[in-house]
Amino acid sequence: MKIRIIGFVILPVLMMSLSGCGTDEKFLAVDKKGKTVVDRFGQLQVNGTKLCTEAGKPIQLRGMSSHGLQWAGKYANEDVIGWLRDDWNIQVWRAAMYLTQGGYIENPVIKEKVINSIEAAIKLGIYVIVDWHVLSDKNPQVYQTKAIEFFTDIAQKYGSYPNIIYEICNEPNGKDVTWAGQIKPYAEAVIGAIRSVDPDNLIIVGTPNWSQDVDVAALDPIKGEKNIMYTLHFYAGTHGEELRKKAEKALDLGLPIFVTEWGTSDASGGGGVYLDKSKIWLSFLKKHQISWVNWSVTNKGEESGVLVYNADREGKGHWKETDLSESGRFIRQVLRNEIRIP
Ligand code: IDC
């Protein structure tokens, strides 16, 4: 009798552990029948401001970003990404390929880390964002020729897989780097190159001012192309209501937004962990069904990183609670639907 009661109580709790209390199955990386998110959602499409499944149902994807692949590329493998899918319930992985600071332009072999990420994501049935991580190089036109060459190659090799999401310009920045002057012309050129090979996978475009000025892009969006979204980035310790207002303005103007990077820390990647402020943001993203990816998988010891200093030095996954930072424990719980986001 006692065992029976325990069975009645514990089993359903165990079964619901990943799906959270009453959480919709659409938030699962793998559903109860063993179907992966890509099995279920298929070829993504954009309708109005919403990211939708192949069948046209609005969805919100959630997942993790790599850290700079030149520093933390050891996590861009099937063991770690598989662990993140099965234990953290990620539906999307972002491969952040810096251009400078030891990135692709200076060190082209870094591309292998992107390839490893893509191959793992295809095997695991999750989506993968191929991130051309414009940052200290500011103006995306500086390496436009390289970007076209790179994305053409990725599209030729992998464009037929629905898993692929192209992020063509992480964070354009600098006073002289404007939407109309540099970013939009760059985006149109790169989108043209990708579309001549891959007609339909999602392409995400960076916005001015470190991907914050989505309202500016919304006044002059890219025309005549389908399945385009725009990036909004925020760091909970630095950005708040003012940036959410910008996002709302852009949404009102019809701009589809994908948060390809956000952190629980301040904009430096450190400076504390701001969980209450993060929850306000997560609630905002949920309300608008905006997909998001959290920065980042690193053990360098900065607060936005999900691992504590020096944990998992070999990139094997199978992390214990003690391997996780404060941010890591929080994000894992959010992804597993164990923290209720209103
Ligand atoms: C940061 C890393 C940090 C690294 C730095 C190098 O967290 O360890 O030293 O890059 O430039 C972004 C960028 C992202 C930044 C992150 C935090 O897209 O590359 O990573 N951030 O500063 N935009 C806003 C914040």
Side-chain angles (χ1 to χ4, degrees), residues 2 34 65 83 102 117 123 150 152 168-169 174 186-187 203 211 225 252 271 273 317 338:
K2 213 173 183 180
S65 179
W83 178 252
S117 293
K123 257 190 170 164
F150 173 82
T152 302
I168 62 176
C169 178
Y186 163 86
I203 301 177
S211 285
E225 297 283 353
D252 286 347
V273 185
E338 291 169 354

Side-chain angles (χ1 to χ4, degrees), residues 67 71 98 101 133 135 170-171 210 233 235 261 266-269 295 300 302 304:
H67 193 75
W71 300 304
Y98 280 61
Q101 298 181 272
H133 204 81
L135 188 61
N170 169 54
E171 292 185 358
W210 288 277
H233 286 178
Y235 280 76
E261 185 186 301
D266 74 19
S268 72
W295 183 261
K300 75 178 271 184
E302 65 181 11
S304 58

